[in-house]
Amino acid sequence: TTLSFGNTTAGATPAPISERVTVLSNHPAGYALSVQRSAFTPSDLPLGLQASAPPGGQLGPDFVGGGIVAVPIAPSNAIVGTTQGPSDAAGDVWPTNVGFAAPIPAVAPGRYAATVTFTVIAR
């Protein structure tokens, strides 16, 4: 999926963009969903994520409270949430908002890109 925040200026915080992450897992002990970013130019832009848990899911400690959390740069990652059992047959939908954890710093004009990776790990 490609997301665009449009044009913005230094000191602004663009509105987050809704993105849904669907997980299909049949592992009886559940799974953990993590997130990280890579290929981000410039690397100091404060990309962030806000998440909600689906039924049967529990948010990771950084995401409790509903605020936008800075997405760590690979190889680090943040646990978005976990489950204690397999996903729903149609998949568990984790509602997220991709945005910025702080106002945009002064950067040269141009296009900027990031790769946000969600990883599912069996528990």
Side-chain angles (χ1 to χ4, degrees):
T1 302
T2 299
L3 303 175
S4 174
F5 293 95
N7 295 326
T8 191
T9 59
T13 305
I17 297 172
S18 177
E19 181 68 21
R20 302 220 180 284
V21 178
T22 302
V23 175
L24 290 166
S25 172
N26 63 0
H27 197 279
Y31 62 85
L33 175 65
S34 68
V35 65
Q36 67 181 0
R37 67 182 167 127
S38 59
F40 199 79
T41 306
S43 63
D44 62 344
L45 287 179
L47 188 66
L49 185 78
Q50 181 180 43
S52 299
Q58 180 176 357
L59 287 175
D62 293 340
F63 293 92
V64 173
I68 291 186
V69 175
V71 176
I73 298 171
S76 296
N77 62 45
I79 299 296
V80 176
T82 59
T83 67
Q84 299 296 315
S87 68
D88 184 70
D92 292 338
V93 177
W94 292 79
T96 66
N97 291 309
V98 179
F100 293 90
I104 302 292
V107 294
R111 293 182 178 265
Y112 301 99
T115 300
V116 176
T117 303
F118 291 93
T119 304
V120 178
I121 304 162
R123 297 182 70 187

